[in-house]
Amino acid sequence: MGPDMCCRGPIFIHGGKMTEKLYRVGTIVNTHGIKGELRIIPITDFPEDRFKAGAKLYLKNKDQVTEFTVESSRPHKSFILLKMKGYDNINDVEKYVKSELFADGEEISDLNEGEFLYKQIIGLTVVDKDLGEIGKVTEILELGSNDVWVVKGPKYKEVLLPYIADVVKEVDLDNSVVNVEIPDGLID
């Protein structure tokens, strides 16, 4: 499960009376060539969806947010090379280097069983069959081979739950509950 499966710090765009939640999906690290391509480090599990031609992305640079449409993208080494519609020259895009890219919360590719978007997990109540309610998932950390869910509540200040089958037994999105079996020694 990667960053797009939620977000690292969603931002809110105020357009008139509506507030739209956006999720960070990449960082522009440099330009590429002279025809307006940008070198992106993706932070999404769905680069083929987030950076496909026609996709809407939002660029945050300082306090300004700019919406644009992807003209084309292609993988290059560990980067994505991205071309925005209407930006055809290196001079048009140089100012965006070191900016973050965001996408809205529209549903994307079908997920396999056991995969969830971060936004689906954050806020769920975590319950252990023996210990009762542990708290709510407040954050998801990507650490090596598996994610770790940060759970906070009144009874336990902070619990770090590895997202593995031995611990996370069931994610019930309909009832906003995660059923877990916490191994001995994980909670003081």
Side-chain angles (χ1 to χ4, degrees):
M1 231 168 46
D4 198 30
M5 296 185 136
C6 175
C7 41
R8 292 188 181 135
I11 63 168
F12 297 87
I13 304 304
H14 302 283
K17 295 181 180 174
M18 288 189 59
T19 300
E20 187 171 359
K21 197 170 189 180
L22 299 177
Y23 298 94
R24 190 168 69 145
V25 295
T27 302
I28 299 171
V29 293
N30 211 342
T31 57
H32 184 83
I34 60 169
K35 295 184 178 179
E37 276 189 309
L38 292 166
R39 190 175 293 194
I40 311 295
I41 294 178
I43 52 168
T44 172
D45 281 351
F46 306 104
E48 60 283 343
D49 291 319
R50 292 301 192 189
F51 302 117
K52 70 182 177 188
K56 295 274 187 231
L57 290 176
Y58 302 85
L59 185 138
K60 185 171 188 255
N61 189 344
K62 298 181 177 131
D63 291 332
Q64 290 190 322
V65 177
T66 306
E67 178 183 328
F68 66 89
T69 303
V70 176
E71 182 175 306
S72 64
S73 68
R74 58 191 167 103
H76 178 71
K77 299 180 182 175
S78 61
F79 303 100
I80 301 280
L81 298 181
L82 185 82
K83 172 88 174 55
M84 302 182 294
K85 279 188 183 173
Y87 296 82
D88 300 320
N89 187 297
I90 188 173
N91 297 323
D92 297 336
V93 296
E94 270 184 319
K95 62 185 173 189
Y96 298 128
V97 172
K98 295 192 168 72
S99 298
E100 295 182 340
L101 288 173
F102 294 83
D104 62 22
E106 290 178 8
E107 291 304 316
I108 45 185
S109 291
D110 293 334
L111 300 174
N112 296 320
E113 188 165 334
E115 292 182 338
F116 305 95
L117 297 173
Y118 279 18
K119 67 180 180 179
Q120 293 176 296
I121 301 301
I122 301 293
L124 294 182
T125 301
V126 176
V127 178
D128 180 274
K129 65 178 185 170
D130 297 324
L131 301 172
E133 185 175 323
I134 305 302
K136 293 193 181 298
V137 180
T138 60
E139 186 179 357
I140 299 174
L141 307 173
E142 293 181 78
L143 304 174
S145 61
N146 59 271
D147 289 347
V148 173
W149 295 1
V150 179
V151 180
K152 294 183 180 178
K155 190 174 178 183
Y156 303 99
K157 187 175 178 182
E158 182 176 88
V159 178
L160 302 176
L161 289 179
Y163 181 57
I164 56 175
D166 288 345
V167 175
V168 178
K169 296 300 184 182
E170 178 191 20
V171 176
D172 183 352
L173 294 177
D174 292 334
N175 295 306
S176 300
V177 172
V178 178
N179 293 307
V180 299
E181 286 183 20
I182 297 178
D184 292 339
L186 193 62
I187 294 181
D188 296 332

